[in-house]
Amino acid sequence: MGVLIVGSALRLRARNWAAVKMFNASKTLHFSTKPEIETIAPLFQTVTETPEPVPTKITGTIPEWIKGSLLRNGPGRFEFGNDTYNHWFDGMALMHRFKIRDGSVTYLSKFLQSDSYKQNMSANRIVISEFGTLAMPDPCKSGFDRFMSKFQLDSTDNCNVNFVRYNGDYYVSTETNFIRKVDPEELNTLEKVDWSQFIAVNGATAHPHYDPDGTSYNMGNSYGKQGTRYNIIKVPAQRSGSEETLEGAQVICSIEPQEKMKPSYYHSFGMTENYVVFLEQPLKLNILKILTSQLQGKSFLDCMELEPKYNTVFHVINKHTGKAHTTHFSSAPFMSFHQINAYEDQGCIVLDICCQDDGMAFDLFRLQNLRKSGQALKEVLKQFSPAFPRRYVLPLVPGPGSTQNVETNPLNYSSATATQLADGKVWCTHENLYDHALDSCGLEFPQINYFKYNTKKYRFFYGCGFQQLIGNSLIKVDVETKKAKIWKETGFYPSEPIFVPAPQSAEEDDGVILSAVLTPHQDQSTFLLVLDAKDFTELGRAEVPVHIPYGFHGIFVPQLS
Ligand SMILES: *[C@@H]1O[C@H](CO)[C@@H](O)[C@H](O)[C@H]1NC(C)=O
Ligand SMILES: *[C@@H]1O[C@H](CO)[C@@H](O)[C@H](O)[C@H]1NC(C)=O
Ligand SMILES: CC(=O)N[C@H]1CO[C@H](CO)[C@@H](O)[C@@H]1O
Ligand SMILES: [Fe+2]
């Protein structure tokens, strides 16, 4: 099997950019041994919404104790009139609800009524720039003026990435300064909220973290007079009764980028009980290019650059004091979109993340690539390098000062290294959190038993195996044994797995995994899959009578009554 041949080459895993080349070469081999690759184009086509709940056909059993809704977000419309978006990330936000009760499931979906969506609808063309698509410029304002006030030229409120919580309220989010409040029951669009009206940031990630009491943490850039800063944001668990959205939001720490005009792109960050861990990675936003982008006809995507001359730097910030830890931690350059979990143990931070040695992934996800078939699709797939789960260990207690290099990782269960160099800086190498089963697909969209094990020492994470640009398997990994359990069905593409704990669950993996499983085949059905999280066997599925485009992230909202 081609997969196994590639396997051994991948074990060498890229520690530097030279190794990446080898890695790509080996993948060519892998795909050329496969006979046919099916097109996933139908998973990137515009659909109509299903605003009234529709019943689903159940096979097997959906446990009666599951009470609540799986809410998912992702693009659902890719053109207006004769204008089409260029990039998958640009599609108009379509929100999905799989409501589970008494062993049955209903489905509904609604387009986010964002200003971006409504303006397009009425103009019948694309009027708001999205990530990879630049709308025609408004000649009345110079790009520079707008940039200084709002960073993005025409900042979008097309919040198509995730569902998030601030102050106890639900929002949908992308990465701009705008988030949209939504009603998690009916998926109606509520207030448009601008981060920059509350604190000095010009955006925030779609992956906040939550303390057990509901306090939210996030990160966002600011582009003020002092130059670019990375900021750590904290939002209280509840509003004090006032109607003000984002009430009490504050910036608890501001970090200066390595290079002022080239801050790094980041999509998420790590959080332990007491610290935030921020990866400053070599995927950079070129501010000068952004400033002149309208003149040059470039979108935000075109202003991102991979700069492998920079190492990846780990910033550790105390959540309570807002102070940065004094040790300088870095590693060979890599990129990460999603962190898996992070915790403190024996004076160290253990950081588990999905890592990529090739930062060009964004470009691959242009719609024209995703909609290819046959040989043309094979050519695109050759450029795709999966993300792999890795562990880094950052010891917070400095080692003894020495003129020699000293190994400072005290954890006997991790082969990650943290070498204190003569200048006091710490150089990190990772431990792989996977065995051969993941060699050909890697793992993305990582999830854990979040509310019990986030910031805690834990054993299991879940995710999608990515083999054809999108997830085509579901995976459970045991971080102690590195063994994986895999669910896969030919012709079906599962989305991000969400763990829902069983009532009074004692063990970490006592619960179910929910995943919306999609198909490009018109004669087959989308379904909500329910797996036993322990052994990864199917408990049941609910077939949905409509086709759904491939999306990003979601959450499970328990039913309160
Ligand atoms: C789309 O393009 C066609 C052909 O050029 C043109 O006739 C039509 O008016 C255009 N539609 C819109 C909504 O601009
Ligand atoms: C690893 O360290 C822990 C804590 O220090 C200790 O309890 C355990 O016995 C050690 N295990 C091995 C295999 O050395
Ligand atoms: C492509 C498309 O559906 N365009 C719509 C945009 O909005 C106008 C006005 O609401 C509609 O007439 C178009 O059909
Ligand atoms: Fe994400």
Side-chain angles (χ1 to χ4, degrees), residues 161-162 175 206-207 267-268 337-338 444-445 496 552-553:
V161 182
N162 205 357
E175 302 184 336
H207 292 287
H267 183 83
S268 73
F337 293 98
H338 298 116
E444 256 297 350
F445 293 153
E496 179 186 61
F552 303 121
H553 301 288

Side-chain angles (χ1 to χ4, degrees), residues 346 410-413:
Q346 299 170 49
L411 303 180
N412 60 8
Y413 59 84

Side-chain angles (χ1 to χ4, degrees), residues 93-324:
L94 180 60
M95 302 177 286
H96 310 266
R97 185 195 79 181
F98 299 87
K99 188 173 187 174
I100 310 171
R101 181 160 203 173
D102 301 330
S104 73
V105 178
T106 61
Y107 170 78
L108 80 73
S109 66
K110 286 183 186 175
F111 278 104
L112 182 72
Q113 297 300 306
S114 60
D115 290 351
S116 189
Y117 182 81
K118 289 192 289 189
Q119 287 176 35
N120 286 330
M121 280 300 266
S122 58
N124 205 16
R125 67 178 183 91
I126 296 170
V127 286
I128 307 281
S129 296
E130 301 293 340
F131 175 76
T133 306
L134 186 76
M136 291 307 286
D138 173 351
C140 307
K141 282 185 189 165
S142 77
F144 189 81
D145 286 348
R146 292 197 193 187
F147 173 79
M148 280 321 197
S149 58
K150 267 200 166 155
F151 174 55
Q152 277 204 319
L153 304 168
D154 272 304
S155 197
T156 181
D157 67 338
N158 176 33
C159 303
N160 65 5
V161 182
N162 205 357
F163 281 85
V164 298
R165 280 186 304 125
Y166 298 111
N167 279 149
D169 298 320
Y170 286 90
Y171 291 85
V172 283
S173 175
T174 176
E175 302 184 336
T176 65
N177 54 315
F178 293 119
I179 49 178
R180 286 305 295 236
K181 202 167 168 178
V182 290
D183 136 38
E185 180 54 34
E186 296 303 324
L187 299 186
N188 291 326
T189 305
L190 306 172
E191 291 105 296
K192 175 175 170 177
V193 176
D194 182 350
W195 278 106
S196 66
Q197 298 299 308
F198 293 86
I199 47 177
V201 299
N202 300 86
T205 80
H207 292 287
H209 274 294
Y210 309 99
D211 270 348
D213 73 353
T215 303
S216 314
Y217 292 84
N218 206 340
M219 289 197 58
N221 284 359
S222 57
Y223 306 92
K225 287 198 181 66
Q226 324 82 343
T228 308
R229 288 276 198 285
Y230 310 115
N231 304 288
I232 300 174
I233 303 164
K234 182 178 178 180
V235 187
Q238 292 295 329
R239 280 185 273 131
S240 64
S242 106
E243 281 306 301
E244 200 177 50
T245 56
L246 299 182
E247 188 202 305
Q250 51 174 313
V251 169
I252 59 170
C253 178
S254 261
I255 301 161
E256 197 171 320
Q258 284 168 307
E259 211 182 317
K260 275 191 177 166
M261 293 306 272
K262 284 190 181 171
S264 293
Y265 173 79
Y266 51 95
H267 183 83
S268 73
F269 60 95
M271 188 176 89
T272 69
E273 193 183 339
N274 298 298
Y275 298 93
V276 161
V277 189
F278 165 56
L279 289 191
E280 193 172 18
Q281 51 191 9
L283 182 59
K284 303 281 180 182
L285 304 176
N286 187 329
I287 301 283
L288 271 180
K289 264 199 193 168
I290 292 172
L291 285 173
T292 56
S293 64
Q294 273 200 322
L295 300 175
Q296 297 173 357
K298 288 184 164 63
S299 69
F300 193 74
L301 170 65
D302 299 320
C303 302
M304 284 181 154
E305 293 167 352
L306 186 63
E307 300 223 2
K309 68 176 177 193
Y310 289 102
N311 292 322
T312 292
V313 177
F314 302 76
H315 296 268
V316 177
I317 296 98
N318 186 305
K319 276 157 69 177
H320 314 293
T321 65
K323 288 215 160 59

